[in-house]
Amino acid sequence: MPGTVDTAALTAWVREFGRLIAAEKDRLTELDSAIGDADHGVNLDRGMTAVLAMLAGDAPQTPADMLKRTGMTLVGKVGGASGPLYGTAFLRMAAAAGGADALDPAGFAKVLRAGLDGVVARGKPVAGDKTMYDALAPAVDALDEALTAGRPFGEALRATVRAAEQGRDATIPMVARKGRASYLGERSAGHLDPGATSVTLLIAAAATTLNGD
Ligand code: ADP
Ligand code: MG
């Protein structure tokens, strides 16, 4: 059924995220070399390669199982700040999916917000800290707003991508207040945040795989 997000759809989402991370690995690492330690793309690609291998091996049976195994793999394989952040996001998404066999668009929006709450619980970012939060939070808000306004799921997801992209681009002038980039102080301004860039790929992957069109 269009707009139904079941285990297969969520698997397609995560696989597409892995594909985008592999394709953008060098660029993400380059962004991290400007204001961090040049490992963001490598970190995430290591984790997502392990996630894709896990998914290819023993296919998860429920949304929660799929999201939980993704989160645990990321926590185990991705080092740095982003491993626990992405890992916690997926583990919180799993908990929010509960025992459901499939989610409707509003259910997916709730799951995504739980992921954002996980990032907040783990990293304590607030708006303007120049982190993945600055792209993910506006995206989650945009999805809720679009669905509440009665927009079809595909359209709502496209609005979500635009909000993530705007949030990502808005990190350029920000001075980092969290993570390694914060050690640079004012010198962190003028660069895209790597985590805001990778999380925008997560949202873009949702729009291409869950669109319901
Ligand atoms: P590390 O900084 O440990 O090398 P990565 O390079 O993999 O880890 O990830 C860096 C990204 O993690 C940053 O671009 C930022 O978006 C995100 N990040 C770092 N610290 C936090 C935090 N406390 N809260 C939210 N996001 C954070
Ligand atoms: Mg880094």
Side-chain angles (χ1 to χ4, degrees), residues 117-141:
D117 291 346
V119 168
V120 171
R122 187 83 216 187
K124 309 280 183 293
V126 299
D129 279 353
K130 196 180 182 95
T131 71
M132 59 171 68
Y133 177 92
D134 290 307
L136 186 57
V140 168
D141 288 344

Side-chain angles (χ1 to χ4, degrees), residues 14-129:
V14 167
R15 287 174 59 93
E16 174 64 4
F17 178 52
R19 191 186 71 76
L20 292 174
I21 290 294
E24 297 292 319
K25 175 174 96 172
D26 292 346
R27 178 167 149 69
L28 291 170
T29 288
E30 201 181 295
L31 293 175
D32 195 33
S33 76
I35 57 168
D37 57 353
D39 64 356
H40 189 59
V42 176
N43 280 343
L44 275 185
D45 187 50
R46 186 189 321 111
M48 289 311 297
T49 299
V51 167
L52 296 195
M54 175 279 287
L55 291 173
D58 175 17
Q61 297 304 311
T62 65
D65 182 32
M66 140 77 200
L67 294 164
K68 184 176 175 190
R69 280 160 58 182
T70 297
M72 289 179 59
T73 305
L74 290 175
V75 169
K77 297 281 178 183
V78 182
S82 60
L85 290 163
Y86 271 103
T88 304
F90 275 97
L91 292 175
R92 292 290 186 99
M93 286 195 262
D101 284 326
L103 307 162
D104 61 7
F108 177 73
K110 244 177 77 184
V111 161
L112 200 63
R113 182 166 292 283
L116 172 67
D117 291 346
V119 168
V120 171
R122 187 83 216 187
K124 309 280 183 293
V126 299
D129 279 353

Side-chain angles (χ1 to χ4, degrees), residues 4 9 83 107 160 187 203 205:
T4 299
T160 306
R187 279 182 294 137
I203 299 299

